Amino acid sequence: MRILLTNDDGIHAEGLLALERIARRLSDDVWISAPEHEQSGASRALTLSEPLRVRRLEPQRYAISGTPTDCVMLAVEELMKDARPDLVLSGVNRGHNTAEDVTMSGTVAGAIQGMALGVPSIALSQSLAVFHDDEVAHYDTAEVFGPGIIQRLLDAGWPSDVIININFPNRKPEEVESVEVTHQGRRDMHNMKAERRTDLRGRDYFWMGFTTRRPVVADGTDLAAVLGGRISVTPLHIDLTHMPTVHALKGVLGGPPPKLRANA
């Protein structure tokens, strides 16, 4: 089995080293195509306004001057074109990718691009207590349980238009309670913030970040599982259509296009 690895934390990220150790327990044919620099929050961005640079670090390991989507596309269509991968693994991200965050995640986007190119793809993330640089991520938890979960998923299979999003809780391996198949959750509050600061010339700027408030989340969701010390496994797809609203609007907008009525 030929496995392609990518991430959004960058080619030198500790989580990518953990992912490589996971992959090598499944195969001896492992390729890496990851961003030269961190691309967290890049979602499915493509680099369209400047050229992409490819730096070969060693055989089957490449640093790309672009996004996770760029990395997977270049790897599958160019760097590995003589023998495409059988599996794309994206991660292990530093911090969980759950709930509404999956729409912004470069880690999830790397897996989506693999799926879009016809390759089964899995995103893996390791939860943190707080998203600070000095916070220690328990990548050993992902390493202990990741290979077995991936192998079980491969044995079972999943639809070609679906990716698997795995989130490991912020716990040591011996403290993990179970694996739970979940659905994408949603927080009961907005957890992003923009902090205003002033530079040395007296000009304001803003630093984007997250609050540390613990949300209330519904049982059965990815975020509830991770916060409860369980490994979350969530099938995701990119059809964002809300069917109840489709049906409701058919009675409002079906037929000839409406014209604006004149004011009475």
Side-chain angles (χ1 to χ4, degrees), residues 40-51:
S40 295
S43 187
R44 292 200 70 204
L46 280 170
T47 302
L48 300 176
S49 59
E50 58 186 66

Side-chain angles (χ1 to χ4, degrees), residues 26 75 93 96-97 127 129 211 220 251:
L26 300 165
N93 190 68
H96 55 245
N97 280 300
S127 181
T211 67

